[in-house]
Amino acid sequence: MPAPAPHINPASFNHKFATTCGFNYHYVEEGDPNGEPLLLVHGFPDLWYGWRHQIKYLASLGYRVIVPDCLGYGQTESPMELQNYGLKSVCAQLAGLLDALDISEVTVIGHDWGGAMVWRFGIYYPNRVKGIISICTPYHPPKTEFRSLEDTVKAIPEFEYQLALADPDTTPKLDAEPDVMLRRVIGQGNVHEKDLEYYIDQYKLSGFRGPLNYYKTTRVNFDDEISYPSTIDVPCWLIQALNDPYLRPYLADQMKDHLPQLKVTQIEAAHFAMAEKPDEINLALKHCLEDLAQRRNTSS
């Protein structure tokens, strides 16, 4: 296994707070305040810190890079009510964060649950989206009939782990030994020991209840999105990690039926590609962003 990428001190980033939809959000902001804004959205069990290798690189290209801890994670508020963790609600919170920062349009970039969020952001706020980039996470259109998590696992066996994460008994088990789970999962990205220590310290403070709530929102998400269209007609990219054991590339086979402006690229990496192959992800993001800008200019 290659040596992990160098540790990046979390304190070396610009940490800020803002209120959106009544919740206190922690976020990091880097780059030119007048540059094109990018909103980077993490997944589970990541934090804003999952983008540590991308943030300053993208900022160096002239972008304004905004990276929140999502609801329930890290230093962002963690409410009790499950409906607040539905994708529509979280997208409203992200839109509110953009409002607080006086940003009307944005390119959204997501990974894992963050990938699901940025696709849904394209459904709920199409007029605010300049482009969408998802790492690993395919787009699946709103369902017309409810399918439980158990039924989803029958159709997609790779998602079996989600049943345990949705189990209420899992939260106290993970809270008792956060280092065990985080070393096993985040450690897949071949991270530096000091990176792992930051994750462990953050979870010791905030716990797993909020992050695990996202796995309990199957019904919430179905009810929220049933009346929305399945097509997202904005320029978009999927960056597939060919060795992802969870979000396998075949899960994206039907995406072009609903995303007429989709382009796809692939890298040899596993699920936590941003940490495992940071240089390759950075170059892929640079290419995708340049392509999105070119397509916007061509259509204008």
Side-chain angles (χ1 to χ4, degrees):
M1 181 179 292
H7 170 65
I8 302 177
N9 187 348
S12 69
F13 295 84
N14 294 314
H15 293 262
K16 301 180 180 182
F17 291 86
T19 299
T20 169
C21 299
F23 302 122
N24 191 33
Y25 258 66
H26 164 252
Y27 67 99
V28 160
E29 183 173 358
E30 296 282 342
D32 184 351
N34 297 313
E36 179 186 337
L38 307 177
L39 178 67
L40 278 56
V41 190
H42 69 81
F44 177 86
D46 240 322
L47 303 163
W48 73 268
Y49 194 58
W51 297 102
R52 61 194 175 280
H53 299 294
Q54 286 71 51
I55 296 170
K56 292 188 178 182
Y57 171 77
L58 294 172
S60 74
L61 299 179
Y63 295 101
R64 180 184 182 185
V65 188
I66 298 122
V67 195
D69 274 334
C70 287
L71 190 75
Y73 286 85
Q75 298 174 65
T76 289
E77 195 168 341
S78 182
M80 293 296 296
E81 299 82 8
L82 188 61
Q83 63 267 24
N84 293 316
Y85 297 86
L87 293 176
K88 186 176 183 181
S89 178
V90 174
C91 285
Q93 296 158 30
L94 295 176
L97 176 60
L98 297 177
D99 291 341
L101 300 177
D102 197 27
I103 296 171
S104 59
E105 291 183 302
V106 69
T107 297
V108 287
I109 306 174
H111 170 255
D112 189 77
W113 269 106
M117 290 176 208
V118 298
W119 292 126
R120 259 43 193 178
F121 202 88
I123 288 178
Y124 298 130
Y125 300 96
N127 295 330
R128 302 192 68 168
V129 175
K130 300 178 75 172
I132 301 172
I133 304 172
S134 176
I135 300 174
C136 297
T137 311
Y139 170 70
H140 289 290
K143 296 179 177 64
T144 56
E145 294 184 1
F146 178 71
R147 185 165 72 176
S148 68
L149 180 57
E150 289 76 11
D151 287 339
T152 297
V153 169
K154 290 177 183 176
I156 309 174
E158 292 89 346
F159 287 1
E160 184 175 7
Y161 70 94
Q162 296 189 14
L163 295 174
L165 296 179
D167 185 337
D169 292 337
T170 298
T171 300
K173 294 176 183 177
L174 296 185
D175 282 346
E177 296 181 303
D179 57 318
V180 175
M181 187 271 194
L182 292 168
R183 288 183 182 280
R184 184 176 70 248
V185 178
I186 294 293
Q188 294 175 26
N190 192 27
V191 303
H192 194 284
E193 175 63 24
K194 290 184 178 179
D195 297 342
L196 282 170
E197 290 174 1
Y198 179 75
Y199 280 100
I200 293 166
D201 288 345
Q202 290 295 296
Y203 270 92
K204 284 181 178 178
L205 292 172
S206 61
F208 281 87
R209 178 184 55 78
L212 291 179
N213 274 343
Y214 291 84
Y215 292 94
K216 304 170 186 174
T217 56
T218 304
R219 170 60 74 173
V220 172
N221 290 329
F222 173 78
D223 291 343
D224 279 346
E225 67 188 26
I226 191 170
S227 62
Y228 283 83
S230 61
T231 297
I232 304 176
D233 193 8
V234 300
C236 55
W237 275 92
L238 173 64
I239 301 174
Q240 292 184 313
L242 292 176
N243 304 321
D244 191 330
Y246 313 113
L247 298 170
R248 301 274 297 279
Y250 82 88
L251 295 172
D253 287 350
Q254 306 302 315
M255 283 180 62
K256 289 189 177 180
D257 294 344
H258 306 283
L259 304 172
Q261 300 190 57
L262 175 68
K263 292 186 179 182
V264 180
T265 189
Q266 299 175 326
I267 67 167
E268 285 283 349
H271 183 66
F272 293 97
M274 297 105 68
E276 180 190 350
K277 298 285 183 72
D279 292 341
E280 291 185 34
I281 287 291
N282 287 349
L283 289 176
L285 288 173
K286 180 176 184 290
H287 170 73
C288 293
L289 289 165
E290 289 172 349
D291 172 78
L292 293 175
Q294 183 179 26
R295 282 195 266 170
R296 287 195 303 269
N297 292 336
T298 302
S299 62
S300 60

